[in-house]
Each structure stands twice: as structure tokens, then as C-alpha cells.
mmCIF file of all heavy atoms in Angstrom:
data_model
loop_
_atom_site.group_PDB
_atom_site.id
_atom_site.type_symbol
_atom_site.label_atom_id
_atom_site.label_comp_id
_atom_site.label_asym_id
_atom_site.label_seq_id
_atom_site.Cartn_x
_atom_site.Cartn_y
_atom_site.Cartn_z
ATOM 1 N N ALA A 112 13.903 -0.908 19.121
ATOM 2 C CA ALA A 112 13.319 0.426 18.954
ATOM 3 C C ALA A 112 12.089 0.398 18.065
ATOM 4 O O ALA A 112 11.173 1.198 18.233
ATOM 5 C CB ALA A 112 14.362 1.376 18.357
ATOM 6 N N ARG A 113 12.047 -0.543 17.116
ATOM 7 C CA ARG A 113 10.903 -0.617 16.207
ATOM 8 C C ARG A 113 9.621 -1.000 16.934
ATOM 9 O O ARG A 113 8.525 -0.819 16.409
ATOM 10 C CB ARG A 113 11.181 -1.631 15.095
ATOM 11 C CG ARG A 113 12.123 -1.079 14.011
ATOM 12 C CD ARG A 113 12.553 -2.149 13.055
ATOM 13 N NE ARG A 113 13.322 -1.597 11.953
ATOM 14 C CZ ARG A 113 14.116 -2.326 11.174
ATOM 15 N NH1 ARG A 113 14.241 -3.636 11.370
ATOM 16 N NH2 ARG A 113 14.793 -1.750 10.191
ATOM 17 N N LEU A 114 9.749 -1.553 18.145
ATOM 18 C CA LEU A 114 8.579 -1.942 18.922
ATOM 19 C C LEU A 114 7.991 -0.778 19.694
ATOM 20 O O LEU A 114 6.890 -0.878 20.229
ATOM 21 C CB LEU A 114 8.949 -3.064 19.913
ATOM 22 C CG LEU A 114 9.523 -4.344 19.295
ATOM 23 C CD1 LEU A 114 9.899 -5.313 20.395
ATOM 24 C CD2 LEU A 114 8.510 -4.984 18.360
ATOM 25 N N LEU A 115 8.718 0.337 19.798
ATOM 26 C CA LEU A 115 8.279 1.466 20.603
ATOM 27 C C LEU A 115 7.297 2.332 19.826
ATOM 28 O O LEU A 115 7.293 2.361 18.599
ATOM 29 C CB LEU A 115 9.486 2.319 21.019
ATOM 30 C CG LEU A 115 10.549 1.592 21.852
ATOM 31 C CD1 LEU A 115 11.722 2.514 22.109
ATOM 32 C CD2 LEU A 115 9.956 1.101 23.157
ATOM 33 N N PRO A 116 6.389 3.069 20.580
ATOM 34 C CA PRO A 116 5.462 3.990 19.900
ATOM 35 C C PRO A 116 6.212 5.035 19.091
ATOM 36 O O PRO A 116 7.213 5.582 19.521
ATOM 37 C CB PRO A 116 4.701 4.645 21.077
ATOM 38 C CG PRO A 116 4.866 3.691 22.216
ATOM 39 C CD PRO A 116 6.208 3.035 22.018
ATOM 40 N N GLY A 117 5.717 5.299 17.893
ATOM 41 C CA GLY A 117 6.342 6.310 17.036
ATOM 42 C C GLY A 117 7.600 5.850 16.351
ATOM 43 O O GLY A 117 8.304 6.635 15.724
ATOM 44 N N ALA A 118 7.921 4.554 16.447
ATOM 45 C CA ALA A 118 9.175 4.063 15.873
ATOM 46 C C ALA A 118 9.201 4.228 14.360
ATOM 47 O O ALA A 118 10.231 4.524 13.773
ATOM 48 C CB ALA A 118 9.375 2.595 16.248
ATOM 49 N N GLY A 119 8.029 4.047 13.706
ATOM 50 C CA GLY A 119 8.011 4.156 12.253
ATOM 51 C C GLY A 119 8.389 5.542 11.777
ATOM 52 O O GLY A 119 9.149 5.711 10.819
ATOM 53 N N VAL A 120 7.875 6.575 12.457
ATOM 54 C CA VAL A 120 8.201 7.944 12.070
ATOM 55 C C VAL A 120 9.684 8.219 12.251
ATOM 56 O O VAL A 120 10.356 8.796 11.389
ATOM 57 C CB VAL A 120 7.362 8.945 12.894
ATOM 58 C CG1 VAL A 120 7.773 10.385 12.578
ATOM 59 C CG2 VAL A 120 5.880 8.742 12.623
ATOM 60 N N ALA A 121 10.235 7.789 13.425
ATOM 61 C CA ALA A 121 11.653 8.030 13.704
ATOM 62 C C ALA A 121 12.542 7.309 12.693
ATOM 63 O O ALA A 121 13.542 7.851 12.214
ATOM 64 C CB ALA A 121 11.978 7.578 15.120
ATOM 65 N N GLU A 122 12.181 6.083 12.329
ATOM 66 C CA GLU A 122 13.012 5.318 11.401
ATOM 67 C C GLU A 122 13.005 5.957 10.015
ATOM 68 O O GLU A 122 14.037 6.023 9.342
ATOM 69 C CB GLU A 122 12.500 3.878 11.317
ATOM 70 C CG GLU A 122 13.418 2.971 10.525
ATOM 71 C CD GLU A 122 12.996 1.524 10.625
ATOM 72 O OE1 GLU A 122 12.050 1.234 11.379
ATOM 73 O OE2 GLU A 122 13.600 0.683 9.947
ATOM 74 N N ARG A 123 11.828 6.460 9.581
ATOM 75 C CA ARG A 123 11.784 7.124 8.279
ATOM 76 C C ARG A 123 12.626 8.395 8.280
ATOM 77 O O ARG A 123 13.264 8.740 7.293
ATOM 78 C CB ARG A 123 10.330 7.444 7.911
ATOM 79 C CG ARG A 123 9.507 6.231 7.492
ATOM 80 C CD ARG A 123 8.204 6.641 6.849
ATOM 81 N NE ARG A 123 7.330 7.351 7.764
ATOM 82 C CZ ARG A 123 6.452 6.753 8.552
ATOM 83 N NH1 ARG A 123 6.341 5.431 8.538
ATOM 84 N NH2 ARG A 123 5.685 7.454 9.349
ATOM 85 N N PHE A 124 12.631 9.104 9.438
ATOM 86 C CA PHE A 124 13.424 10.324 9.540
ATOM 87 C C PHE A 124 14.919 10.020 9.469
ATOM 88 O O PHE A 124 15.684 10.703 8.803
ATOM 89 C CB PHE A 124 13.093 11.039 10.853
ATOM 90 C CG PHE A 124 13.923 12.274 11.096
ATOM 91 C CD1 PHE A 124 13.633 13.461 10.444
ATOM 92 C CD2 PHE A 124 15.000 12.235 11.969
ATOM 93 C CE1 PHE A 124 14.393 14.594 10.665
ATOM 94 C CE2 PHE A 124 15.767 13.355 12.193
ATOM 95 C CZ PHE A 124 15.470 14.540 11.547
ATOM 96 N N LEU A 125 15.349 8.949 10.179
ATOM 97 C CA LEU A 125 16.771 8.632 10.252
ATOM 98 C C LEU A 125 17.296 8.003 8.968
ATOM 99 O O LEU A 125 18.404 8.299 8.523
ATOM 100 C CB LEU A 125 17.024 7.683 11.431
ATOM 101 C CG LEU A 125 16.826 8.300 12.825
ATOM 102 C CD1 LEU A 125 16.921 7.217 13.882
ATOM 103 C CD2 LEU A 125 17.866 9.388 13.081
ATOM 104 N N PHE A 126 16.509 7.123 8.365
ATOM 105 C CA PHE A 126 17.017 6.338 7.246
ATOM 106 C C PHE A 126 16.413 6.733 5.905
ATOM 107 O O PHE A 126 16.664 6.115 4.886
ATOM 108 C CB PHE A 126 16.763 4.842 7.508
ATOM 109 C CG PHE A 126 17.461 4.341 8.739
ATOM 110 C CD1 PHE A 126 16.763 4.179 9.923
ATOM 111 C CD2 PHE A 126 18.821 4.068 8.728
ATOM 112 C CE1 PHE A 126 17.410 3.722 11.058
ATOM 113 C CE2 PHE A 126 19.467 3.614 9.854
ATOM 114 C CZ PHE A 126 18.763 3.451 11.031
ATOM 115 N N GLY A 127 15.574 7.745 5.929
ATOM 116 C CA GLY A 127 15.080 8.279 4.671
ATOM 117 C C GLY A 127 14.066 7.404 3.976
ATOM 118 O O GLY A 127 13.900 7.509 2.769
ATOM 119 N N GLU A 128 13.369 6.516 4.722
ATOM 120 C CA GLU A 128 12.355 5.696 4.077
ATOM 121 C C GLU A 128 11.182 6.579 3.691
ATOM 122 O O GLU A 128 10.812 7.511 4.404
ATOM 123 C CB GLU A 128 11.899 4.581 5.017
ATOM 124 C CG GLU A 128 13.012 3.578 5.310
ATOM 125 C CD GLU A 128 12.502 2.446 6.174
ATOM 126 O OE1 GLU A 128 11.277 2.314 6.308
ATOM 127 O OE2 GLU A 128 13.335 1.700 6.688
ATOM 128 N N PRO A 129 10.543 6.308 2.571
ATOM 129 C CA PRO A 129 9.480 7.193 2.072
ATOM 130 C C PRO A 129 8.235 7.155 2.951
ATOM 131 O O PRO A 129 7.894 6.119 3.519
ATOM 132 C CB PRO A 129 9.171 6.631 0.674
ATOM 133 C CG PRO A 129 9.596 5.196 0.746
ATOM 134 C CD PRO A 129 10.785 5.162 1.675
ATOM 135 N N GLU A 130 7.569 8.294 3.094
ATOM 136 C CA GLU A 130 6.288 8.380 3.779
ATOM 137 C C GLU A 130 5.218 7.688 2.932
ATOM 138 O O GLU A 130 5.328 7.645 1.704
ATOM 139 C CB GLU A 130 5.894 9.851 3.962
ATOM 140 C CG GLU A 130 6.723 10.598 4.970
ATOM 141 C CD GLU A 130 6.234 10.364 6.383
ATOM 142 O OE1 GLU A 130 5.186 9.711 6.533
ATOM 143 O OE2 GLU A 130 6.908 10.811 7.323
ATOM 144 N N PRO A 131 4.181 7.129 3.585
ATOM 145 C CA PRO A 131 3.081 6.567 2.794
ATOM 146 C C PRO A 131 2.456 7.646 1.926
ATOM 147 O O PRO A 131 2.399 8.809 2.307
ATOM 148 C CB PRO A 131 2.092 6.089 3.868
ATOM 149 C CG PRO A 131 2.915 5.921 5.102
ATOM 150 C CD PRO A 131 3.990 6.957 5.018
ATOM 151 N N ALA A 132 2.026 7.264 0.753
ATOM 152 C CA ALA A 132 1.426 8.222 -0.175
ATOM 153 C C ALA A 132 0.172 8.825 0.451
ATOM 154 O O ALA A 132 -0.689 8.099 0.940
ATOM 155 C CB ALA A 132 1.066 7.519 -1.476
ATOM 156 N N PRO A 133 0.039 10.166 0.456
ATOM 157 C CA PRO A 133 -1.141 10.807 1.047
ATOM 158 C C PRO A 133 -2.438 10.295 0.463
ATOM 159 O O PRO A 133 -3.414 10.107 1.171
ATOM 160 C CB PRO A 133 -0.923 12.293 0.736
ATOM 161 C CG PRO A 133 0.556 12.430 0.552
ATOM 162 C CD PRO A 133 1.008 11.140 -0.067
ATOM 163 N N ARG A 134 -2.459 10.042 -0.842
ATOM 164 C CA ARG A 134 -3.692 9.564 -1.475
ATOM 165 C C ARG A 134 -4.080 8.189 -0.933
ATOM 166 O O ARG A 134 -5.252 7.910 -0.691
ATOM 167 C CB ARG A 134 -3.493 9.522 -2.987
ATOM 168 C CG ARG A 134 -4.767 9.148 -3.760
ATOM 169 C CD ARG A 134 -4.548 9.291 -5.246
ATOM 170 N NE ARG A 134 -4.213 10.669 -5.608
ATOM 171 C CZ ARG A 134 -3.933 11.044 -6.843
ATOM 172 N NH1 ARG A 134 -3.941 10.157 -7.835
ATOM 173 N NH2 ARG A 134 -3.636 12.309 -7.111
ATOM 174 N N ALA A 135 -3.064 7.326 -0.711
ATOM 175 C CA ALA A 135 -3.351 5.989 -0.176
ATOM 176 C C ALA A 135 -3.890 6.091 1.243
ATOM 177 O O ALA A 135 -4.806 5.356 1.638
ATOM 178 C CB ALA A 135 -2.088 5.138 -0.211
ATOM 179 N N LEU A 136 -3.310 6.999 2.047
ATOM 180 C CA LEU A 136 -3.799 7.187 3.403
ATOM 181 C C LEU A 136 -5.250 7.659 3.394
ATOM 182 O O LEU A 136 -6.087 7.171 4.151
ATOM 183 C CB LEU A 136 -2.931 8.217 4.144
ATOM 184 C CG LEU A 136 -1.686 7.696 4.861
ATOM 185 C CD1 LEU A 136 -0.936 8.852 5.483
ATOM 186 C CD2 LEU A 136 -2.062 6.671 5.915
ATOM 187 N N THR A 137 -5.555 8.617 2.563
ATOM 188 C CA THR A 137 -6.906 9.154 2.482
ATOM 189 C C THR A 137 -7.896 8.075 2.086
ATOM 190 O O THR A 137 -8.986 7.962 2.659
ATOM 191 C CB THR A 137 -6.962 10.316 1.467
ATOM 192 O OG1 THR A 137 -6.042 11.329 1.872
ATOM 193 C CG2 THR A 137 -8.365 10.887 1.386
ATOM 194 N N ALA A 138 -7.534 7.261 1.109
ATOM 195 C CA ALA A 138 -8.421 6.189 0.659
ATOM 196 C C ALA A 138 -8.649 5.169 1.765
ATOM 197 O O ALA A 138 -9.761 4.666 1.949
ATOM 198 C CB ALA A 138 -7.828 5.515 -0.572
ATOM 199 N N GLY A 139 -7.595 4.869 2.527
ATOM 200 C CA GLY A 139 -7.734 3.889 3.591
ATOM 201 C C GLY A 139 -8.600 4.370 4.737
ATOM 202 O O GLY A 139 -9.213 3.561 5.441
ATOM 203 N N ARG A 140 -8.677 5.682 4.914
ATOM 204 C CA ARG A 140 -9.469 6.233 6.016
ATOM 205 C C ARG A 140 -10.902 6.548 5.616
ATOM 206 O O ARG A 140 -11.724 6.887 6.464
ATOM 207 C CB ARG A 140 -8.798 7.513 6.533
ATOM 208 C CG ARG A 140 -7.492 7.243 7.263
ATOM 209 C CD ARG A 140 -6.727 8.506 7.540
ATOM 210 N NE ARG A 140 -5.476 8.217 8.239
ATOM 211 C CZ ARG A 140 -4.495 9.091 8.412
ATOM 212 N NH1 ARG A 140 -4.610 10.315 7.906
ATOM 213 N NH2 ARG A 140 -3.401 8.769 9.063
ATOM 214 N N GLU A 141 -11.201 6.450 4.358
ATOM 215 C CA GLU A 141 -12.536 6.806 3.883
ATOM 216 C C GLU A 141 -13.642 5.977 4.541
ATOM 217 O O GLU A 141 -14.694 6.530 4.916
ATOM 218 C CB GLU A 141 -12.606 6.678 2.358
ATOM 219 C CG GLU A 141 -13.878 7.249 1.756
ATOM 220 C CD GLU A 141 -14.090 8.705 2.146
ATOM 221 O OE1 GLU A 141 -13.101 9.457 2.245
ATOM 222 O OE2 GLU A 141 -15.264 9.086 2.356
ATOM 223 N N PRO A 142 -13.469 4.643 4.702
ATOM 224 C CA PRO A 142 -14.525 3.877 5.385
ATOM 225 C C PRO A 142 -14.771 4.351 6.815
ATOM 226 O O PRO A 142 -15.909 4.320 7.290
ATOM 227 C CB PRO A 142 -13.972 2.441 5.354
ATOM 228 C CG PRO A 142 -13.040 2.418 4.192
ATOM 229 C CD PRO A 142 -12.413 3.770 4.165
ATOM 230 N N LEU A 143 -13.697 4.790 7.513
ATOM 231 C CA LEU A 143 -13.872 5.293 8.868
ATOM 232 C C LEU A 143 -14.702 6.568 8.862
ATOM 233 O O LEU A 143 -15.603 6.754 9.691
ATOM 234 C CB LEU A 143 -12.504 5.566 9.504
ATOM 235 C CG LEU A 143 -11.560 4.364 9.634
ATOM 236 C CD1 LEU A 143 -10.218 4.797 10.215
ATOM 237 C CD2 LEU A 143 -12.178 3.290 10.511
ATOM 238 N N ARG A 144 -14.404 7.454 7.919
ATOM 239 C CA ARG A 144 -15.142 8.703 7.831
ATOM 240 C C ARG A 144 -16.601 8.453 7.445
ATOM 241 O O ARG A 144 -17.518 9.104 7.957
ATOM 242 C CB ARG A 144 -14.476 9.629 6.820
ATOM 243 C CG ARG A 144 -13.105 10.119 7.282
ATOM 244 C CD ARG A 144 -12.334 10.783 6.180
ATOM 245 N NE ARG A 144 -11.045 11.275 6.667
ATOM 246 C CZ ARG A 144 -10.029 11.596 5.899
ATOM 247 N NH1 ARG A 144 -10.133 11.462 4.582
ATOM 248 N NH2 ARG A 144 -8.896 12.041 6.421
ATOM 249 N N ALA A 145 -16.805 7.503 6.538
ATOM 250 C CA ALA A 145 -18.170 7.186 6.118
ATOM 251 C C ALA A 145 -18.959 6.608 7.289
ATOM 252 O O ALA A 145 -20.140 6.925 7.485
ATOM 253 C CB ALA A 145 -18.144 6.194 4.950
ATOM 254 N N GLY A 146 -18.290 5.750 8.079
ATOM 255 C CA GLY A 146 -18.957 5.178 9.243
ATOM 256 C C GLY A 146 -19.332 6.234 10.261
ATOM 257 O O GLY A 146 -20.438 6.209 10.822
ATOM 258 N N MET A 147 -18.431 7.180 10.505
ATOM 259 C CA MET A 147 -18.729 8.259 11.444
ATOM 260 C C MET A 147 -19.855 9.144 10.917
ATOM 261 O O MET A 147 -20.733 9.568 11.672
ATOM 262 C CB MET A 147 -17.468 9.085 11.696
ATOM 263 C CG MET A 147 -17.684 10.252 12.653
ATOM 264 S SD MET A 147 -18.287 9.735 14.284
ATOM 265 C CE MET A 147 -16.779 9.042 14.964
ATOM 266 N N ALA A 148 -19.855 9.413 9.621
ATOM 267 C CA ALA A 148 -20.920 10.233 9.030
ATOM 268 C C ALA A 148 -22.275 9.550 9.194
ATOM 269 O O ALA A 148 -23.284 10.204 9.505
ATOM 270 C CB ALA A 148 -20.627 10.482 7.545
ATOM 271 N N GLU A 149 -22.307 8.227 9.012
ATOM 272 C CA GLU A 149 -23.556 7.485 9.167
ATOM 273 C C GLU A 149 -24.064 7.566 10.600
ATOM 274 O O GLU A 149 -25.258 7.760 10.853
ATOM 275 C CB GLU A 149 -23.348 6.025 8.760
ATOM 276 C CG GLU A 149 -24.610 5.186 8.883
ATOM 277 C CD GLU A 149 -24.366 3.725 8.555
ATOM 278 O OE1 GLU A 149 -23.242 3.391 8.107
ATOM 279 O OE2 GLU A 149 -25.287 2.924 8.749
ATOM 280 N N LEU A 150 -23.132 7.422 11.585
ATOM 281 C CA LEU A 150 -23.521 7.498 12.985
ATOM 282 C C LEU A 150 -24.072 8.872 13.335
ATOM 283 O O LEU A 150 -25.080 8.998 14.041
ATOM 284 C CB LEU A 150 -22.319 7.170 13.887
ATOM 285 C CG LEU A 150 -21.871 5.712 13.895
ATOM 286 C CD1 LEU A 150 -20.589 5.565 14.707
ATOM 287 C CD2 LEU A 150 -22.958 4.811 14.461
ATOM 288 N N LEU A 151 -23.416 9.928 12.838
ATOM 289 C CA LEU A 151 -23.881 11.277 13.128
ATOM 290 C C LEU A 151 -25.252 11.543 12.515
ATOM 291 O O LEU A 151 -26.102 12.208 13.116
ATOM 292 C CB LEU A 151 -22.860 12.301 12.615
ATOM 293 C CG LEU A 151 -21.517 12.324 13.373
ATOM 294 C CD1 LEU A 151 -20.526 13.236 12.667
ATOM 295 C CD2 LEU A 151 -21.722 12.768 14.816
ATOM 296 N N GLU A 152 -25.476 10.986 11.328
ATOM 297 C CA GLU A 152 -26.788 11.148 10.686
ATOM 298 C C GLU A 152 -27.864 10.414 11.461
ATOM 299 O O GLU A 152 -28.975 10.939 11.677
ATOM 300 C CB GLU A 152 -26.725 10.633 9.244
ATOM 301 C CG GLU A 152 -28.029 10.832 8.481
ATOM 302 C CD GLU A 152 -27.933 10.360 7.033
ATOM 303 O OE1 GLU A 152 -26.807 10.000 6.610
ATOM 304 O OE2 GLU A 152 -28.955 10.357 6.350
ATOM 305 N N ARG A 153 -27.539 9.204 11.915
ATOM 306 C CA ARG A 153 -28.504 8.442 12.708
ATOM 307 C C ARG A 153 -28.824 9.144 14.018
ATOM 308 O O ARG A 153 -29.961 9.101 14.513
ATOM 309 C CB ARG A 153 -27.965 7.041 12.972
ATOM 310 C CG ARG A 153 -28.026 6.105 11.778
ATOM 311 C CD ARG A 153 -27.329 4.790 12.082
ATOM 312 N NE ARG A 153 -27.830 4.184 13.310
ATOM 313 C CZ ARG A 153 -27.250 3.140 13.910
ATOM 314 N NH1 ARG A 153 -26.153 2.607 13.391
ATOM 315 N NH2 ARG A 153 -27.759 2.636 15.015
ATOM 316 N N ALA A 154 -27.799 9.796 14.622
ATOM 317 C CA ALA A 154 -28.014 10.491 15.886
ATOM 318 C C ALA A 154 -29.026 11.618 15.748
ATOM 319 O O ALA A 154 -29.717 11.977 16.703
ATOM 320 C CB ALA A 154 -26.680 11.041 16.410
ATOM 321 N N VAL A 155 -29.121 12.179 14.546
ATOM 322 C CA VAL A 155 -30.062 13.277 14.305
ATOM 323 C C VAL A 155 -31.456 12.752 14.026
ATOM 324 O O VAL A 155 -32.462 13.348 14.441
ATOM 325 C CB VAL A 155 -29.571 14.148 13.130
ATOM 326 C CG1 VAL A 155 -30.615 15.192 12.757
ATOM 327 C CG2 VAL A 155 -28.252 14.826 13.491
ATOM 328 N N THR A 156 -31.547 11.619 13.349
ATOM 329 C CA THR A 156 -32.844 11.161 12.843
ATOM 330 C C THR A 156 -33.518 10.089 13.707
ATOM 331 O O THR A 156 -34.743 9.989 13.687
ATOM 332 C CB THR A 156 -32.679 10.589 11.420
ATOM 333 O OG1 THR A 156 -31.742 9.502 11.446
ATOM 334 C CG2 THR A 156 -32.151 11.667 10.480
ATOM 335 N N GLU A 157 -32.757 9.297 14.464
ATOM 336 C CA GLU A 157 -33.391 8.184 15.171
ATOM 337 C C GLU A 157 -34.101 8.656 16.443
ATOM 338 O O GLU A 157 -33.723 9.658 17.059
ATOM 339 C CB GLU A 157 -32.379 7.083 15.499
ATOM 340 C CG GLU A 157 -31.378 7.402 16.570
ATOM 341 C CD GLU A 157 -30.406 6.256 16.793
ATOM 342 O OE1 GLU A 157 -30.494 5.247 16.084
ATOM 343 O OE2 GLU A 157 -29.554 6.376 17.691
ATOM 344 N N SER A 158 -35.102 7.901 16.847
ATOM 345 C CA SER A 158 -35.895 8.238 18.024
ATOM 346 C C SER A 158 -35.165 7.843 19.300
ATOM 347 O O SER A 158 -34.142 7.154 19.265
ATOM 348 C CB SER A 158 -37.233 7.505 17.966
ATOM 349 O OG SER A 158 -37.018 6.093 18.064
ATOM 350 N N ARG A 159 -35.696 8.265 20.446
ATOM 351 C CA ARG A 159 -35.102 7.905 21.734
ATOM 352 C C ARG A 159 -35.145 6.394 21.925
ATOM 353 O O ARG A 159 -34.203 5.791 22.434
ATOM 354 C CB ARG A 159 -35.834 8.613 22.870
ATOM 355 C CG ARG A 159 -35.671 10.129 22.866
ATOM 356 C CD ARG A 159 -36.434 10.769 24.005
ATOM 357 N NE ARG A 159 -35.935 10.316 25.301
ATOM 358 C CZ ARG A 159 -36.467 10.678 26.467
ATOM 359 N NH1 ARG A 159 -37.529 11.484 26.491
ATOM 360 N NH2 ARG A 159 -35.961 10.241 27.599
#
């Protein structure tokens, strides 16, 4: 079952394992957001 999609969420629900800390999740996603922000800025400023 651990190999199936969504298995981590189901296992935490059944066995009470703690959710990842929201702050840690936010920090881990920051590079993705920064990369997307850079692309959107370039889309506005770069030439054809």
C-alpha cells in the first residue's frame, strides 16, 4: 500500500504519524516559487 499514490497521507491518518511541519514545507518550496517568479518577470521584459 505504501507504493500507491496518496499512501503517505493515508498512513498518517491511520497510524497517527505527524504531518510535516508547515514551515519546513514552505521553506522547501521557496526555490520553486522564486524560479516561477523569475520566469514570469522574464516573460514581461524579454524580447520576441
Side-chain angles (χ1 to χ4, degrees):
R113 283 171 174 161
L114 302 177
L115 300 176
V120 176
E122 188 172 355
R123 286 193 296 271
F124 177 78
L125 291 172
F126 299 101
E128 294 183 14
E130 289 277 354
R134 185 173 299 178
L136 273 178
T137 302
R140 290 170 180 168
E141 190 56 36
L143 300 177
R144 292 168 178 162
M147 179 59 74
E149 180 183 353
L150 289 174
L151 291 172
E152 183 178 353
R153 285 174 53 191
V155 173
T156 59
E157 71 181 2
S158 65
R159 294 179 62 183

